[in-house]
Amino acid sequence: MSVSVSVDAETNVVGLIGHPVEHSMSPAMHNAAFKELGLNYVYLAFDVPPERLEGAVRGAADLGIVGLNVTIPHKEAVMELCDELDRDAELTGAVNTVRFSRGKIEGFNTDGEGFLRALQEETDFDPRGTKSVILGAGGAARAVSFKLATEGADEIVIANRTVSRAERLAEELREKVGVKARAIGLDGDEIERELQDADLLVDATPVGMYPNENEPPLVTADQMREDLIVNDLVYNPPKTRLLEEAEKAGAVPVSGVGMLVYQGALAFELWTGEEAPVDVMREAVLEHLQ
Ligand code: NAP
């Protein structure tokens, strides 16, 4: 679906920079939100190769663009261009939202907060005192694990294909936040043991993502406890095979669509100062995914 917005000489511009960007849900999600609130904004997607990043960001600031979402492969490199970083960007070492404000480039990371808000909208999860098992040690796993840690989690287990990467993340979590954090591989028995007393399982790998939606999930129903919350960060398809396994186990399945919507809603609020219409944004994403 494409949302038509009317553009005039006073239209505020926001957008996405990444490489590639053509499959992004963000233009549909944000333009639907601007239309809903009657805001004179337009959201565009800009395909920017790494060697053009600095020129694109400084040019955007000079053009009076209000702000940008930042995606692969620029989330780390854009930090160098920011004059100020929020705590989540600093902790995770990545920026997914930029705001140009009074000559300054401000960098934020809304992924972790978006993850938590979405999870709390769908479940009664409270991170304080909990144990989580996170599959993956990339950008999404970093955002999620630092958010859980700073919100009072007791224990975080990072399970990753490349164990040395999980070890580095666990060490950072221990050193920067002081949470109990350990690294393991993707061995099924070990994951099952860790899940025995875990409250939350987050899959922060692309396993099961379109067009590989039939790929076997990393964890199956027989390894899950009944009251485990299982949050797959993959949002396409909205119901992954991992979430089907969670249903089979009587566990609590949570789709990645909510995190996508809330990380966008937080960026929307940083740029416009208005409360984001999350239901309209979710509808736009779900329509776009069909
Ligand atoms: P990333 O930085 O590239 O990290 C990918 C992680 O997945 C790495 O830990 C990698 O392990 C692991 N991995 C990749 N392929 C695997 C496989 N076949 N089997 C086992 N592990 C595998 O990616 P990311 O940015 O963190 O994104 C990860 C997923 O989260 C993507 O599906 C993305 O769409 C989703 N995501 C969703 C949202 C949302 O709003 N819902 C936001 C951000 C990301 P190695 O270290 O061994 O390579």
Side-chain angles (χ1 to χ4, degrees), residues 95-113:
V95 159
N96 79 337
T97 303
V98 160
R99 181 171 65 186
F100 301 109
S101 156
R102 286 175 247 105
K104 280 206 174 132
I105 303 178
E106 299 171 312
F108 304 85
N109 194 318
T110 66
D111 278 338
E113 183 63 24

Side-chain angles (χ1 to χ4, degrees), residues 6-78:
S6 68
V7 174
D8 59 28
E10 290 176 64
T11 301
N12 294 294
V13 178
V14 291
L16 169 71
I17 51 169
H19 184 62
V21 292
E22 65 264 25
H23 297 299
S24 171
M25 308 284 148
S26 294
M29 182 165 78
H30 284 278
N31 287 321
F34 295 142
K35 194 173 173 196
E36 172 72 13
L37 298 192
L39 297 177
N40 192 1
Y41 278 72
V42 64
Y43 188 109
L44 303 170
F46 302 105
D47 191 329
V48 176
E51 66 276 14
R52 302 271 181 198
L53 178 67
E54 180 165 1
V57 171
R58 298 212 186 280
D62 287 348
L63 285 171
I65 283 178
V66 175
L68 294 168
N69 278 140
V70 183
T71 189
I72 291 167
H74 303 314
K75 283 184 169 187
E76 288 91 27
V78 81

